[in-house]
Structure formats: structure tokens, C-alpha cells
Amino acid sequence: MERVLITGAAGFLGSHLCDRFHAEGFDVIGLDNLITGDMKNLEHLIGQDRFTFMKHDVSNYVHVSGELHHILHFASPASPIDYLKIPIQTLKVGSLGVHNCLGLARAKGARMTIASTSEVYGDPEVHPQHEEYFGNVNTIGPRGVYDEAKRFQESMTMAYHRYHGLETRIVRIFNTYGPRMRLNDGRVLPAFIGQALRGEDLTVFGDGSQTRSFCYVDDLVEGIFRLHFSNETRPVNIGNPDEITIREFADEIIALTGTDQKVVYRELPENDPKQRQPDIARAREVLGWEPRVDRAEGLRRTYAYFKSLTPEELNKSEHKAFEAYKR
Ligand code: UDP
């Protein structure tokens, strides 16, 4: 039986990856420091055979005894408001965290996939974004702590690949949504759905003409799974090319939830990318992958999840651990 370590296991993507690897028969070790992650995302796996949880900060030395065949490094704050609140930790998990994982992978002879991001393209001047584009990132802007950590993470991973011959994979993840997103993480989909459910107006930043392309989580997990077991060592974009303006997206959420609330406009955050759409030609070619769940279906499934939350969960601001960590 093969063992896999998944960092960020209690987070949105990490927990879905734990489910997938567990369902495929792997022995899964889920690691998380529970700062932005939530054990609720893993409660169905706790106590099951072939699943172990480790509460640990991957920015510190990671020890795993016994054999280890695969590592997926998915630990990181992943929403603009999170990494603005914990900027140094965001830089550390992308740099020290990836270094610890790569060292562990080398010691164990494990294959490693890192979670990179469309943010390596910054506010892109090339549209749609293909993997050969080098990006347009403001290193010292507020988003720089995330973008540059992820860019460093890619460089470090390629160095281990080239210098140590480590088996590495790099997935560049575009905006993804689905059940288990944190309602208060500040990203646009949980923000809008949370506002609709609480009877608040939907806050569109700027004039809402900026675009994003949203991928349903099951499609993303399928792409990551295929990439991890492929031979592709170059970065691969995984995302849904179906692009939409944020203003149109707000209208879709209003229609989906049937809320009487309206759209209100707020200041656009600094360095907010104007457009984003993945070019997925490489994923199609090398993985035979493309998204299958369209936005209407994905949004229905996601809304069903958010509607199932208790009023307490709906109104909760932040995890206590997160508050403590910020200080
Ligand atoms: N956004 C918005 N209202 C919100 C939250 C986000 O209009 O309440 C916008 C944000 O400015 C950005 C887009 O929605 O243009 C996507 O933001 P998100 O934080 O989800 O992720 P990003 O793609 O910017 O990393």
C-alpha cells in the first residue's frame, strides 16, 4: 500500500484531495496547523483505516516515520484577505514549507506535487494565460507575499528536480470553488453566497468588470490526480476557461439564491488582476483533462453545501486559532 502526505489537509482543496487519495486506496497522512483549515472538513475520515491526522506547521521541520511515496504540498492561506492578515506566515509556508517537504520527499524517495497558482501570472498582460507566460507581479504589493512565495516554491521545486533528480509536479490552480470553502475567507464566491444567506447586499469590488474563470472542485481534483501520476514536470494550468465578469457573477448568485438583496460597489483592492482565464491546452494534451462540471451545476452543488450550514457557522467570523496566530 502506498502512503501519501497531504499538507493543508483540513483546508478546502487539501480535504478533497485526502478524500480522493483515500478512496483510491492510499494510506493518507493529512497534515495541517488548523489556522485557516477546519477539522470539520476531515471529520468523516477521522477514525477510518488508512487515515492519520497530524497537527503541525509545515514551515517547521516535518518528520514522518516509515515509508512515504507521495507528497502533495497544499498548505497555504489562499485568499487575499487571509494573506493580508498573515503575510509572513504566507511567505514562510511557500518557502520554508516547500523546502521541508522537498527535503522529506528526497529522504523518502517520494514524488511531490506542489500547489502553485494563477497568481504567478499576477495582473496578466497575456490573455488567456498559458504556462510559458512569465507573469506580471508586483513583488512589494499586498498580494506579493502570496504570489512571490508561490513563484519561489516553483523555483525551489525545479531546483530539486534538476539537481537531485526528484520526481516533481507543479499545478497552477485557477479560481476554484465548491463545498468546504470557508464562508468568511473573503473570496468572491463564499462572500456573495454568505451575504445572500445573511440578507446582506453583495459587495462587488471596483466596477465589477474584472474577470475570473471558476472551476468546480471535483474537476480540479481530477486534474491534480492525473498530473501527479503523469510524467509532466513542467507547470500545468488546471482551471475552467469559462470566463465571467464579477458583476455578472454577482447576478448569477442573486438568481441562484433568490435573494432580494442588491449589488453595492466597494473600492477595488490594490493590484487586483483585471482578467484571468486559463489556457488549458497543455492539460488537454498531456493529461487528456478538461473540466466537466459547468458553472450552473457547480454553483447548485456549492449552494446546497452552504445552505446546510448552521446559523452559528454562517455568522462565525474567524477561527479562534486564526485570531491568535495573527498576533
Ligand atoms: N471580489 C468582489 N467582492 C467580494 C470579494 C471579491 O468583487 O466580496 C472580487 C475581487 O476584487 C476579485 C474577484 O472578486 O476581482 C475574485 O476575488 P477572490 O478574492 O475570490 O480571488 P482572486 O481571484 O482575486 O485571487
Side-chain angles (χ1 to χ4, degrees):
M1 193 190 313
E2 301 217 317
R3 289 178 92 205
V4 54
L5 172 73
I6 300 176
T7 76
F12 168 46
L13 298 182
S15 66
H16 284 283
L17 283 167
C18 286
D19 284 347
R20 177 65 186 265
F21 276 82
H22 192 259
E24 298 277 351
F26 289 82
D27 185 345
V28 179
I29 307 167
L31 182 148
D32 205 299
N33 65 358
L34 299 178
I35 297 307
T36 58
D38 192 333
M39 281 312 284
K40 188 171 183 263
N41 294 334
L42 292 175
E43 64 188 3
H44 55 287
L45 286 173
I46 298 294
Q48 291 216 27
D49 278 353
R50 296 186 288 101
F51 185 77
T52 314
F53 179 72
M54 266 172 78
K55 184 173 181 300
H56 182 71
D57 186 338
V58 68
S59 300
N60 301 321
Y61 184 85
V62 184
H63 173 73
V64 174
S65 55
E67 289 195 313
L68 188 64
H69 307 90
H70 308 276
I71 300 179
L72 288 96
H73 183 42
F74 275 68
S76 178
S79 82
I81 61 162
D82 283 353
Y83 44 77
L84 291 178
K85 287 177 191 155
I86 46 174
I88 295 165
Q89 293 83 353
T90 303
L91 280 158
K92 281 170 71 177
V93 74
S95 52
L96 306 179
V98 78
H99 191 207
N100 290 332
C101 288
L102 287 164
L104 180 64
R106 189 173 163 231
K108 302 282 185 183
R111 172 180 295 206
M112 175 151 151
T113 290
I114 59 155
S116 188
T117 168
S118 55
E119 285 282 327
V120 300
Y121 304 123
D123 191 2
E125 294 144 318
V126 166
H127 193 75
Q129 293 80 53
H130 56 75
E131 290 89 347
E132 302 302 316
Y133 175 50
F134 292 163
N136 176 36
V137 173
N138 176 5
T139 57
I140 57 165
R143 300 172 82 106
V145 297
Y146 182 71
D147 302 5
E148 290 301 336
K150 292 288 187 179
R151 289 168 67 95
F152 173 87
Q153 180 166 283
E154 289 196 5
S155 306
M156 190 65 151
T157 299
M158 285 312 292
Y160 266 72
H161 173 67
R162 293 198 180 105
Y163 189 73
H164 292 304
L166 198 73
E167 283 277 11
T168 55
R169 308 288 179 265
I170 298 173
V171 54
R172 290 190 180 149
I173 299 169
F174 283 65
N175 294 69
T176 303
Y177 68 99
R180 304 185 195 156
M181 287 187 99
R182 217 173 79 229
L183 198 59
N184 53 22
D185 86 354
R187 282 184 283 189
V188 66
L189 178 133
F192 285 172
I193 290 189
Q195 287 160 346
L197 287 173
R198 290 189 300 266
E200 299 164 5
D201 289 336
L202 277 64
T203 53
V204 167
F205 297 164
D207 63 4
S209 64
Q210 70 273 30
T211 68
R212 294 294 186 274
S213 308
F214 297 97
C215 183
Y216 188 65
V217 64
D218 290 1
D219 282 334
L220 186 91
V221 166
E222 177 63 29
I224 293 168
F225 197 79
R226 286 190 195 197
L227 174 62
H228 184 79
F229 292 102
S230 78
N231 292 321
E232 182 58 69
T233 56
R234 298 172 300 171
V236 179
N237 290 340
I238 300 285
N240 189 325
D242 188 3
E243 186 181 6
I244 184 173
T245 68
I246 295 301
R247 172 67 226 223
E248 288 168 322
F249 191 59
D251 290 339
E252 285 192 2
I253 301 293
I254 288 172
L256 173 78
T257 58
T259 175
D260 298 330
Q261 304 299 315
K262 56 184 192 316
V263 162
V264 291
Y265 293 89
R266 298 279 177 267
E267 199 181 336
L268 189 68
E270 200 180 333
N271 299 140
D272 196 281
K274 282 180 275 307
Q275 54 182 4
R276 185 182 289 153
Q277 183 192 33
D279 179 332
I280 59 166
R282 183 175 288 173
R284 279 201 176 99
E285 188 192 322
V286 299
L287 309 178
W289 175 89
E290 60 182 8
R292 305 238 170 263
V293 182
D294 67 19
R295 204 169 48 246
E297 174 59 22
L299 287 180
R300 267 195 299 279
R301 294 188 203 172
T302 307
Y303 184 48
Y305 165 80
F306 282 118
K307 265 200 307 197
S308 74
L309 298 179
T310 63
E312 193 198 5
E313 287 166 331
L314 202 58
N315 292 308
K316 176 161 94 172
S317 55
E318 271 162 4
H319 299 317
K320 285 198 179 70
F322 187 96
E323 287 294 344
Y325 204 65
K326 277 193 304 184
R327 280 186 223 117

